[in-house]
Amino acid sequence: MKNVMGNEPEYKLLGFEPKTHAARILICTSGKILSIHVNDLERSEIAEKLSSREIKALYRHIYMDKLAPETEYQLKDRSERSWGAYVAFVLALAVFYQFSNIAAIKPVYISYLDIIVTPGTFIYPFTFLIIDLLNEFYGFRLARKAILCSVISNIVITLLLFFSMTLPVIPEWHFNVAYNDFMTQLYVVLLASTMAFITSELSNSWILCKIKAITRSRHLYLRIFLSTFAASIIDSFVFCFLAFYGKMDNSVILKIAMIQIIIKSVYAVLNILPAYYARFLYRKHILHPGEDMVSASS
């Protein structure tokens, strides 16, 4: 069946596996078949791209096999668990992003390694992990909303700090010049970090979703590493050149960017284990609390 634009749909529902309650989805662009639990499918963006007939078949299978919540209380409880976890993810994303922006103002020289980094370099990679988990649990659309919320919160906080610069100060306070210089540099970092954050995180989300579709939701480690590695390259170059261009030699800026890529690549590997554990906890305590879920993905 063709969609309203006259193009072939991206996904087609082929059927269900009765023992595992997994739906078999054909990826029309590649011809590969994705096996995904029906409850995961119902919450994913794939369901939004199925036809009305396929949606009816999906919900018919969910309710006939008693996979849906049996009572209104259970439905509300699961919804609260899921959205509570989403709010926690968004809050953590905003905190890590805001700290990275403020800490990025001060380049730090580590003499033992002969490198120049910013303190945010060691915190910012956690935002990639959070975005990966949001894409994994809630889909690209809600992950994109989380990115937007973090950017808006950062802009609002910075504007409030800017307003504080316009307030009169007492003569005895000798830090006004230093404070204004700090805030001026913060605006430059805000512009650089916003551009880097948006481009890198959206790229991270897009790459992860594409790899997930290609691998049929298998090999979580592969999409976590590749998406984070690609996003690290984009983020490091965009941020370093926008934040420090004209203030340092280009060779120094390039060196800082390369060092950041190396550090973030290490995080891309280290993030794999927490990602698996987070997925396990999410499925056990939020998606299917009190139930043993059989998953077709590895």
Side-chain angles (χ1 to χ4, degrees):
M1 187 178 82
K2 294 186 178 183
N3 57 24
V4 293
M5 299 297 294
N7 299 320
E8 287 292 333
E10 295 184 37
Y11 305 99
K12 287 185 178 180
L13 176 63
L14 300 180
F16 303 95
E17 300 172 6
K19 292 184 179 181
T20 62
H21 301 298
R24 295 170 62 245
I25 302 294
L26 172 65
I27 304 175
C28 299
T29 55
S30 63
K32 295 183 178 181
I33 297 178
L34 170 68
S35 183
I36 180 173
H37 193 276
V38 290
N39 285 340
D40 292 337
L41 174 61
E42 191 269 336
R43 292 174 172 85
S44 70
E45 288 193 343
I46 296 178
E48 300 177 3
K49 301 177 181 179
L50 296 177
S51 67
S52 58
R53 178 181 57 82
E54 292 168 331
I55 290 293
K56 291 179 181 178
L58 172 62
Y59 280 103
R60 187 182 303 113
H61 182 86
I62 290 176
Y63 283 96
M64 289 183 65
D65 285 16
K66 298 181 179 180
L67 299 177
E70 297 179 355
T71 66
E72 183 180 1
Y73 172 78
Q74 289 176 324
L75 179 62
K76 290 182 178 179
D77 181 61
R78 295 186 183 190
S79 178
E80 289 177 0
R81 287 174 180 266
S82 178
W83 287 115
Y86 180 78
V87 170
F89 279 125
V90 175
L91 179 61
L93 180 65
V95 169
F96 288 147
Y97 177 44
Q98 182 67 37
F99 171 81
S100 300
N101 286 342
I102 297 176
I105 296 176
K106 180 181 179 180
V108 177
Y109 175 67
I110 302 178
S111 58
Y112 181 76
L113 299 176
D114 190 28
I115 61 175
I116 300 175
V117 295
T118 63
T121 304
F122 301 99
I123 299 298
Y124 187 78
F126 288 117
T127 64
F128 293 135
L129 174 61
I130 295 174
I131 290 298
D132 288 341
L133 294 177
L134 285 171
N135 279 281
E136 191 73 18
F137 302 152
Y138 299 97
F140 179 70
R141 181 171 58 87
L142 288 179
R144 187 175 55 199
K145 289 182 179 296
I147 295 172
L148 180 61
C149 288
S150 297
V151 171
I152 292 176
S153 65
N154 188 36
I155 293 175
V156 171
I157 292 174
T158 305
L159 290 177
L160 291 175
L161 290 174
F162 173 77
F163 174 74
S164 68
M165 292 177 58
T166 64
L167 299 177
V169 296
I170 59 177
E172 292 79 7
W173 197 61
H174 303 291
F175 301 101
N176 187 53
V177 175
Y179 180 79
N180 290 340
D181 291 341
F182 175 84
M183 291 305 304
T184 300
Q185 181 61 21
L186 181 61
Y187 303 142
V188 177
V189 171
L190 173 65
L191 174 61
S193 65
T194 300
M195 295 300 298
F197 184 76
I198 293 175
T199 55
S200 64
E201 296 294 4
L202 289 178
S203 299
N204 180 30
S205 300
W206 184 84
I207 293 172
L208 184 139
C209 292
K210 287 297 181 181
I211 295 176
K212 185 175 183 180
I214 293 173
T215 59
R216 296 182 291 176
S217 290
R218 298 178 179 178
H219 312 306
L220 175 62
Y221 66 91
L222 186 63
R223 56 182 179 269
I224 290 291
F225 174 77
L226 291 179
S227 62
T228 302
F229 178 71
S232 299
I233 296 175
I234 297 172
D235 177 80
S236 298
F237 278 108
V238 172
F239 173 78
C240 289
F241 277 94
L242 287 179
F244 302 121
Y245 184 78
K247 301 178 179 63
M248 300 179 180
D249 292 337
N250 289 341
S251 58
V252 177
I253 298 176
L254 181 61
K255 184 178 180 180
I256 295 175
M258 295 303 298
I259 292 172
Q260 287 194 8
I261 292 173
I262 294 174
I263 295 175
K264 293 171 184 176
S265 298
V266 173
Y267 275 84
V269 177
L270 298 179
N271 284 345
I272 293 174
L273 185 59
Y276 273 98
Y277 188 62
R279 187 175 70 171
F280 166 76
L281 292 177
Y282 182 83
R283 289 178 171 179
K284 181 178 181 181
H285 298 291
I286 298 177
L287 188 60
H288 301 287
E291 299 179 4
D292 293 325
M293 189 188 73
V294 180
S295 176
S297 59
S298 61

